[in-house]
Amino acid sequence: MDRKTNTSTLMRKTLMALTGLFLCFFLVIHLLGNLQLLLPAEQAKGSFNGYSQLLSGNIFIKIISYVLYASIIIHGIDALVITLKNKKTAGKYAIDGRAATSKWYSRNMGILGTLILIFLVFHFKDFWYQYKFGTLPMDEAGHKDLYTIVIAAYQDWWYVLFYVLSMFALGYHLLHGFFSAARSLGLYHPKYVTWVRNFGKVYSYAITFGFAIIPIYVYLTQHVVWN
């Protein structure tokens, strides 16, 4: 591999690390907003719809959302390019034994990323597109009633299962991605390696189970009411 190729790969990994860390930050904010769905129904409806209105009407939030969309696209493209390049050198890993010692999710980041992409397509279609371009009813406060749309989606067991499995795919993606980003940005120093590993694991578990528990809770507590 020549110097130009090495530089290009390094730049892509650095850009993927930066966009990945931004997405990690966004996931925390998104989870905190979605946890409002665990409140009692009437309180959750007003709180969640008000939160959604705030996100759609604030100019600063709009700018952040454009950065988010760009980060998802750039992160996905860089991941695809790097994955294709890694496949070309797969034989080297078989010879030196690194493939045998790496975690299975590290070796299958492409598959996990594809599963997450499929989930995002459904997620954006069912919620983001509906909120932006659909005709949603209004709640008592005059806000678009996204809460009712979300609750209705979580009445189908297959959708809940799909959501939960997607969150576990995201969790494994984060486990590898967080450590990889730290290395790419030069933050994986031996002095802090234990702290980085522990923080990455706690973060990945918190995001995975935090998001996964929401549709399960809604299905178990409100499925009877809707049916």
Side-chain angles (χ1 to χ4, degrees), residues 65-216:
S65 67
Y66 293 137
V67 176
L68 170 66
Y69 305 148
S71 295
I72 292 174
I73 294 172
I74 293 171
H75 191 78
I77 292 175
D78 279 346
L80 177 61
V81 172
I82 291 172
T83 298
L84 293 176
K85 286 185 176 181
N86 286 342
K87 282 188 175 181
K88 293 181 179 180
T89 59
K92 296 179 181 179
Y93 292 92
I95 293 173
D96 64 19
R98 276 179 288 179
T101 58
S102 61
K103 300 290 186 180
W104 70 267
Y105 51 81
S106 298
R107 300 192 301 272
N108 293 283
M109 286 292 281
I111 296 175
L112 293 174
T114 300
L115 292 175
I116 295 168
L117 178 60
I118 293 172
F119 167 78
L120 285 176
V121 170
F122 280 93
H123 196 65
F124 272 77
K125 177 183 72 69
D126 293 337
F127 304 129
W128 179 86
Y129 183 84
Q130 287 291 332
Y131 191 86
K132 292 288 186 181
F133 306 106
T135 304
L136 269 67
M138 297 293 182
D139 65 9
E140 293 78 3
H143 300 144
K144 289 185 177 181
D145 194 3
L146 182 62
Y147 173 82
T148 299
I149 301 299
V150 173
I151 297 302
Y154 294 160
Q155 301 311 302
D156 294 321
W157 68 265
W158 65 266
Y159 194 95
V160 173
L161 180 61
F162 170 63
Y163 192 106
V164 171
L165 292 177
S166 298
M167 290 305 100
F168 275 90
L170 174 63
Y172 284 119
H173 190 84
L174 290 173
L175 272 176
H176 172 80
F178 188 87
F179 303 143
S180 181
R183 284 192 292 267
S184 297
L185 297 175
L187 304 177
Y188 208 66
H189 191 278
K191 185 177 181 180
Y192 310 109
V193 64
T194 301
W195 186 88
V196 172
R197 280 190 173 277
N198 289 337
F199 180 83
K201 288 179 180 179
V202 171
Y203 170 82
S204 300
Y205 294 154
I207 291 296
T208 300
F209 289 102
F211 275 112
I213 198 174
I214 295 172
I216 295 175

Side-chain angles (χ1 to χ4, degrees), residues 3 12 24 26 34 38 58 110 152 214:
R3 183 175 180 180
R12 285 193 177 280
C24 285
F26 168 77
N34 283 10
L38 301 181
N58 186 294
I214 295 172

Side-chain angles (χ1 to χ4, degrees), residues 52-62 131-132:
S52 301
Q53 179 67 29
L54 173 65
L55 293 183
S56 65
N58 186 294
I59 185 62
F60 175 73
I61 299 298
K62 284 186 177 181
Y131 191 86
K132 292 288 186 181

